[in-house]
Amino acid sequence: MTMTTAAGETTTRNLALAIDIGGTKAEAALVDDAGVVLAASRFRRPTGPTASSDDLAAAVLSVLGSALAALPADATLLGVGIGSAGPISVADGLVSPLNLPVWRDYPLRQLVIDAVPGVPVTLRMDGECIALAEHWVGAAVGYQNVMGMIVSTGVGGGLILQGSAIAGPSGNAGHIGHVEVGGFDDPCLCGGIGCVEAVASGPKTVAWANRQGWVGATGEDLAVAYAAGDPIAIAAVERSGRAIGQAIASATALNDLDIVAIGGGFSRVTPDLFRFIREAIAKRDWDFVTKVQVVPSALSDAGPLIGSAALVHRADLVA
């Protein structure tokens, strides 16, 4: 897309193709170097635990192809950034999203390389992408020690420490969803007991409420019940917030974080979720833990795509 500068010079808009893959959807869009998603290029397809491997691959290729077809003829495509639910293997380009059981060591990066030949493709965990997005244009602008979190179908996270995104040797650094939190005995698909994902994700919070006698089916139902004062819904959200807060306190003790920005559909179940998170953190005695700010994402549901694009536009921060 061609633009004219104040000096009358003509420039070409540089774009990244961003892909986000999680437990409920695959999504793709074009994103410019200011972190703006081109709305007409944004496409999504459902995923889910009952989809076959071929279904998931078809969903990725569908949204990728539709977004790519929206690329203006005079724009420059700098690269493709992929954010995937974890765990992943960065070195091999493989993904094994816990909530997509048919994909174990699936060659996602190669699938995309084959679909967009000649264009650089970068794969990282979705939590790292969230951290990059918030640090770039979101709630964590100006902070150097950041955790980005997703609380949705699963719970994910990523780290920026001293201004650099930290992937770790396998690409799974910051995967806070599988930190175990005290006082909970919920079994996790990863094999752990009391992992924050097993306690505090949207589906797991709903399942706990159901076991207490609540009859709703979704996080949206839980939000309505919470707003109406249903005591089980309130207890369920408080429980989720307490688990998330404990995990953030531990992560802050380990990494001396300045700020944690949380996005994802279930993070919006009620603003009180953040109060419960902060109350759990405030029980610690150490100032370097209780100082951490916990804030909602400033990017709504565009954060994962913006973060995937940051793998291209902010490549200097990506280890």
Side-chain angles (χ1 to χ4, degrees):
M1 189 172 296
T2 302
M3 299 180 293
T4 302
T5 69
E9 300 169 333
T10 298
T11 62
T12 299
R13 196 172 192 183
N14 293 322
L15 300 175
L17 177 58
I19 303 172
D20 174 59
I21 299 163
T24 58
K25 63 177 174 57
E27 190 168 18
L30 298 168
V31 182
D32 71 14
D33 54 11
V36 176
V37 176
L38 277 62
S41 73
R42 187 173 180 178
F43 298 88
R44 68 168 58 188
R45 287 274 302 273
T47 55
T50 62
S52 70
S53 179
D54 287 345
D55 290 338
L56 296 177
V60 172
L61 293 175
S62 173
V63 297
L64 182 159
S66 296
L68 194 60
L71 181 72
D74 56 356
T76 298
L77 182 64
L78 297 180
V80 180
I82 311 168
S84 173
I88 67 173
S89 173
V90 163
D92 302 314
L94 308 177
V95 302
S96 302
L98 197 61
N99 293 300
L100 299 175
V102 295
W103 270 8
R104 291 295 175 263
D105 291 331
Y106 183 81
L108 177 60
R109 186 174 61 200
Q110 191 62 51
L111 177 76
V112 175
I113 287 172
D114 291 344
V116 193
V119 178
V121 176
T122 304
L123 168 69
R124 290 292 186 274
M125 195 167 61
D126 55 359
E128 181 178 354
C129 293
I130 285 288
L132 282 163
E134 299 293 344
H135 181 265
W136 182 19
V137 292
V141 171
Y143 292 90
Q144 296 303 298
N145 299 286
V146 176
M147 174 170 277
M149 282 188 69
I150 301 164
V151 180
S152 186
T153 306
V155 176
L159 293 167
I160 292 177
L161 299 179
Q162 297 186 353
S164 295
I166 306 298
S170 68
N172 294 288
H175 204 333
I176 195 171
H178 297 282
V179 169
E180 295 183 7
V181 287
F184 301 93
D185 59 4
D186 307 57
C188 185
L189 291 174
C190 77
I193 300 295
C195 293
V196 67
E197 177 170 302
V199 178
S201 71
K204 296 301 184 181
T205 304
V206 167
W208 182 86
N210 290 154
R211 293 196 297 273
Q212 314 314 307
W214 181 70
V215 296
T218 66
E220 290 82 359
D221 294 340
L222 196 69
V224 172
Y226 186 97
D230 183 284
I232 296 177
I234 292 170
V237 174
E238 187 279 332
R239 185 176 189 267
S240 175
R242 178 159 45 93
I244 295 168
Q246 288 180 218
I248 289 173
S250 296
T252 302
L254 185 65
N255 295 297
D256 203 4
L257 299 171
D258 298 318
I259 190 168
V260 177
I262 305 178
F266 194 68
S267 72
R268 298 189 287 273
V269 64
T270 167
D272 287 349
L273 178 66
F274 285 82
R275 174 167 62 85
F276 296 136
I277 293 169
R278 295 173 187 128
E279 287 174 352
I281 296 169
K283 293 180 179 179
R284 304 306 192 275
D285 289 331
W286 287 339
D287 291 344
F288 87 92
V289 174
T290 58
K291 74 168 180 7
V292 67
Q293 299 181 58
V294 180
V295 299
S297 168
L299 303 173
S300 186
D301 62 351
L305 288 172
I306 294 170
S308 296
L311 298 173
V312 177
H313 289 307
R314 306 281 286 176
D316 56 311
L317 302 185
V318 179

